[in-house]
Amino acid sequence: MSKILYISSEAFPLIKTGGLADVAGSLPVALLKQSQDMRLLLPAYPEVLNKITRSKKLSAKTYYNMPVEIIETRLPGSNVIVWLVDCPALFDRPGGPYSNSHGQAWHDNALRFAVFCYVAVDIALNQLQLNWQPDVVHCNDWQSGLVPALLSLHTERPATIFTVHNLAYQGLFNHQTFIHLHLPDELWQINGLEFYGQLSFIKGGLVYADKITTVSPSYAHEILSPEFGYGLDGLLNNRSEHLSGILNGIDEKHWNPGTDKYLKQKYNRHSLAKKPRNKTQLQEELSLPVDASLAMIGMVSRLVEQKGLDIILQSLATLITMPVQLVILGTGETHYEIQLTEWAQQHPDRLKVIIGYNEALAHKIEAASDLYLMPSTFEPCGLNQLYSLRYGNLPIVTPVGGLADTVIDASEKNIKNKTANGFVLEQQSATALLNSVQRALALFQKPEVWRQLQVNAMRGDFSWQTSAGRYIALYQQALSPNC
Ligand code: ADP
């Protein structure tokens, strides 16, 4: 058993903007089940404080002249101990964890997450009288990137792991910020936190962590190339012997069509005949024509370039002439929201666009849809294709990252050997997308083949158990003296 401090800037169900929250809300639970002694460290945003029921104050200290308290609670629905970093000056404000309600990044994000990191470092070095010192500190994304860097300055320290959930988000700030934060001078170097004259939080993890992971084996490989490396491929190549990819699992309790609390009609792979009832209900709810013969294509996503919005928009004119209904739920860049909404207004029978964040609707879309659209330009792991597989909703994906690792194309050969579970584009283009949709629609007309594809998808094992075991093995490696 090891003591693991798991650091994340979001964790479901307390606070969520994307996939990181899903991972941080379920991997620590899986690790606890495998006898690891877990603490999850999270900022005390107002949404988090509103959701917790029982809590106690553990410790207090001042950082940059701001009082900070550590509050202990539990991750709802589990026994995982959560330590909240309560610094009202930095975290008690309306809006999101990283940006205000207009989508603008908080002006003081560097300070907010520097404090978060310094608290983590104090816990790691047992300097907050918490009576618990981790063997391993597991950091996630740029918000915790300073932790391995700051810990590297100590000889007696826990092992450090840094997981990249998305290399595109790096936590870049100007050099002045480095000075204002009084970060140790020796960290300002090219083989340190400096990135072309800027302060890079993510480099703190990539340069200094004992082990680096990403959330799928393919993405771990891809980020070594300039195309996916965002300027960090050189550094990652230098550290490649410490880099590996561990595929995310999913929370199988929360994403289970057999028990899903948001579904009126539950189903599993042995009762697939019940699934279409979900489509009828959603068609009624969203005022779409109720028609079982149309293939419903769902999408629940951040509306950003990464998610393939450009090729989707290029395809729409043709897509809406096909026997399909598209249902898109998401928020993101305004120009995508506007374009999609305009298309939906012009073609209300074919396309429904719901701008917003809606957990219940996300589940209903997964259950109602026949196909799921995820033609990402890159995808570190992707969770929605995994939810779709579990809900017998066949993903249409590009061959990148975690999508390539989890979706098996419905080629003739794969259909025959019963491994096919979705549709993989040859490349990321509108033409390839339309070809795949056409291929999918041809198979949708063959109920027996379709049923088999759904069964193949639904019997996939995406539980956390295997991946948690891989993390434990990695922790052991990081703890070994010759790491
Ligand atoms: P990313 O982390 O890049 O956003 P993932 O597929 O890894 O993409 O995870 C996205 C998570 O966020 C999924 O759980 C998805 O269901 C959820 N999600 C994204 N947008 C919305 C939305 N508008 N409403 C509800 N859930 C959403």
Side-chain angles (χ1 to χ4, degrees), residues 10 12 16-23 165-166 169 215 248 255 299-304 306-307 329-331 354-363 366 372 374 378-387:
E10 48 184 282
F12 184 82
K16 168 167 166 177
T17 70
L20 169 61
D22 288 352
V23 176
H165 296 259
N166 194 332
Y169 301 99
V215 286
N248 281 338
W255 292 97
M299 180 172 190
V300 179
S301 183
R302 292 184 294 120
L303 301 177
V304 295
Q306 177 200 339
K307 301 295 179 180
L329 164 66
T331 50
I354 306 102
I355 301 298
Y357 187 91
N358 186 330
E359 185 74 23
L361 192 53
H363 285 249
E366 290 289 3
Y372 187 84
M374 204 160 170
F378 68 94
E379 197 58 74
C381 175
L383 290 169
N384 270 311
Q385 88 279 14
L386 301 181
Y387 303 148

Side-chain angles (χ1 to χ4, degrees), residues 143-161:
Q143 293 86 354
S144 49
L146 294 183
V147 177
L150 294 166
L151 283 175
S152 76
L153 305 173
H154 298 263
T155 41
E156 293 289 314
R157 61 162 179 88
T160 51
I161 310 283

Side-chain angles (χ1 to χ4, degrees), residues 281-333:
Q281 279 163 1
L282 193 64
Q283 286 168 331
E284 283 166 358
E285 184 179 330
L286 299 179
S287 309
L288 282 164
V290 175
D291 184 343
S293 73
L294 298 174
M296 183 178 280
I297 308 181
M299 180 172 190
V300 179
S301 183
R302 292 184 294 120
L303 301 177
V304 295
E305 191 199 346
Q306 177 200 339
K307 301 295 179 180
L309 268 303
D310 293 322
I311 67 164
I312 291 173
L313 284 164
Q314 287 159 25
S315 308
L316 272 184
T318 311
L319 263 180
I320 51 157
T321 64
M322 295 178 172
V324 300
Q325 281 174 342
L326 262 130
V327 176
I328 301 179
L329 164 66
T331 50
E333 292 171 25

